[in-house]
Amino acid sequence: MAARFVFLVLTLLLLRGSMSAPAPYAPSESGSYLEYITVAGYFLQDEADTDPKTFQYNTTSLGLIDRAYDSDAEFDPHGEKTQWQRFEHHVTTLNKGAESDVQYKMLYMGRHGEGYHNVAEAFYGTEQWDCYWSLQDGDTRNPWSGESGVTTWADPNITAKGEVQARIAHEFWKKEIAEQKIPVPEKYYSSPLERCLITADITFSNLELPPDRPFVPEVKELLREAIGIHTCDRRSPKTEIQSRHPGFTFEPRFAEKDQLWRANWRETDVALDARMQFLVDDVVSHDHSTYISFTSHSGAISSLLRVLGHRPFSLTTGAVIPVLLKIRTVTGAPPTPTASQGPPYTTAPTCSSGILLPTADTQTATPAAPTAAPTAAQ
């Protein structure tokens, strides 16, 4: 246990080194911290009776609720504006009337399209995926069916289905921009993992964007999925990312090699929440944009929702969730860090049934010869 906490300290030091400035909420540095409140009543995803399993963001205008705002009378006395135009004006009004220590921001958080690792987990089953297959770079037996022989899931690309999901997101934004005048992001951030980079590129490239809001995405180290053990969450070197995505920029001090991923330890929700808190504090403190896009992962977005005080809302691959935030700068020491509320890291579970080798033709699992599961693919 002591080793895990030592590793947590080292990881946090690495996180600090990857940021453009020290954590702005650290009381020893600023004497204040940021408090986040999800402002409910604007999006269907805020409502308790909205089912994440059946909700479709692209047929509901991103879940924007059809309602009046107290700022409508001045801005749209004749009812000629779209819901999104009235919402944008309302947010502007909120910021203009806010106290000096309060600001409002709008986050568009999109999950990447389906990746080969998602297909792999479904193929092998979650138990076998967690205890063995997620530790490998791929399956050399080539068991896949209908995926052109792709057997690698280390920092994987998106599947054909994942590309369709990203193009659905692109068409959604194209339609909402043209017909509903949705306020587009002023700043775009992406996880450094390939499935997010390609999803963001497909989604936002070649849209009719305002000249002052071009799609110039920035790669953020901390916006990635839970770190450790799973090779799908081990990022590629910076030079490879630059080669594949020359239009993307990188945050200051983005390292060439992945300094955070470890083969034997994986973040728990405790550590993931601490990292997401660090990330969002950094973005809010250094980015003055009101409308911000995150392209990230299921676990990371679920963690962000917890940090931001939003109700749980799981996203299917390719889905998007909007969150209107009220952010207050609070003087004094922040609440006790979440890292003190439980162990920050865990190890891979043991395969209770041994290592099973399913095949695509039979969809059956054959026990492998007795052997110890490797710690992780190297």
Side-chain angles (χ1 to χ4, degrees):
M1 182 64 72
R4 295 182 193 173
F5 280 98
V6 169
F7 183 59
L8 174 65
V9 172
L10 293 174
T11 300
L12 291 176
L13 289 173
L14 286 171
L15 298 186
R16 286 183 178 273
S18 70
M19 307 304 290
S20 57
Y25 55 86
S28 60
E29 297 165 354
S30 66
S32 64
Y33 66 95
L34 298 173
E35 176 185 73
Y36 301 99
I37 300 172
T38 293
V39 186
Y42 292 89
F43 296 96
L44 293 172
Q45 296 93 322
D46 304 335
E47 307 298 315
D49 58 354
T50 300
D51 185 354
K53 295 180 181 178
T54 59
F55 183 77
Q56 298 292 323
Y57 77 91
N58 59 311
T59 61
T60 59
S61 200
L62 210 59
L64 184 65
I65 295 174
D66 183 7
R67 50 159 288 188
Y69 309 121
D70 55 16
S71 54
D72 286 348
E74 174 189 1
F75 177 68
D76 188 28
H78 304 296
E80 299 172 340
K81 305 294 185 181
T82 70
Q83 187 72 46
W84 274 114
Q85 287 176 309
R86 291 189 292 109
F87 173 82
E88 183 176 21
H89 179 262
H90 181 61
V91 173
T92 299
T93 301
L94 289 175
N95 273 318
K96 286 182 177 179
E99 300 174 355
S100 60
D101 59 352
V102 171
Q103 58 180 311
Y104 292 85
K105 288 184 181 290
M106 178 71 189
L107 297 184
Y108 301 115
M109 298 191 288
R111 184 184 177 189
H112 62 79
E114 179 190 72
Y116 286 107
H117 66 303
N118 299 126
V119 178
E121 181 176 355
F123 181 78
Y124 298 109
T126 297
E127 180 181 359
Q128 286 284 305
W129 172 256
D130 285 341
C131 73
Y132 179 77
W133 291 107
S134 66
L135 284 65
Q136 314 305 311
D137 282 348
D139 187 346
T140 57
R141 299 175 308 114
N142 191 26
W144 297 96
S145 174
E147 288 293 343
S148 303
V150 175
T151 60
T152 300
W153 51 75
D155 192 10
N157 204 331
I158 57 176
T159 65
K161 177 180 177 180
E163 183 174 342
V164 169
Q165 292 170 334
R167 296 198 180 282
I168 289 172
H170 174 87
E171 291 302 317
F172 164 79
W173 281 101
K174 181 179 179 180
K175 183 174 185 292
E176 291 292 299
I177 291 169
E179 298 180 6
Q180 300 301 320
K181 314 301 181 187
I182 186 174
V184 300
E186 298 165 81
K187 183 68 177 180
Y188 301 82
Y189 295 103
S190 175
S191 158
L193 297 175
E194 179 65 15
R195 54 194 184 269
C196 288
L197 300 168
I198 191 66
T199 297
D201 203 12
I202 293 173
T203 299
F204 295 110
S205 290
N206 302 314
L207 291 174
E208 293 292 331
L209 300 173
D212 62 340
R213 298 187 183 187
F215 174 55
V216 183
E218 180 176 307
V219 181
K220 296 286 284 185
E221 185 77 272
L222 303 190
L223 195 50
R224 58 200 287 184
E225 187 59 292
I227 298 169
I229 296 182
H230 294 194
T231 61
C232 60
D233 301 325
R234 183 185 64 208
R235 74 164 172 85
S236 300
K238 180 181 179 180
T239 50
E240 291 186 17
I241 297 173
Q242 286 177 313
S243 176
R244 292 193 295 259
H245 304 281
F248 283 60
T249 63
F250 293 82
E251 65 181 338
R253 290 182 257 179
F254 188 90
E256 168 63 20
K257 295 183 178 180
D258 190 344
Q259 299 181 16
L260 303 180
W261 189 88
R262 296 293 185 273
N264 300 315
W265 285 325
R266 185 170 178 81
E267 285 178 308
T268 62
D269 284 348
V270 167
L272 181 56
D273 289 357
R275 173 159 61 89
M276 290 300 109
Q277 178 84 47
F278 197 101
L279 165 76
V280 74
D281 281 354
D282 176 67
V283 170
V284 167
S285 297
H286 300 98
D287 188 337
H288 300 296
S289 303
T290 300
Y291 297 89
I292 296 173
S293 169
F294 285 166
T295 303
S296 191
H297 309 263
S298 175
I301 293 174
S302 293
S303 176
L304 281 165
L305 293 179
R306 291 192 295 270
V307 167
L308 301 176
H310 194 284
R311 79 182 187 98
F313 199 95
S314 59
L315 298 184
T316 58
T317 50
V320 184
I321 184 169
V323 178
L324 178 61
L325 284 179
K326 179 180 180 180
I327 307 164
R328 183 184 298 276
T329 302
V330 180
T331 301
T336 304
T338 55
S340 66
Q341 299 175 10
Y345 288 86
T346 186
T347 56
T350 301
C351 294
S352 59
S353 303
I355 302 167
L356 305 181
L357 305 176
T359 63
D361 292 335
T362 63
Q363 287 296 309
T364 59
T366 304
T371 180
T375 55
Q378 300 300 318

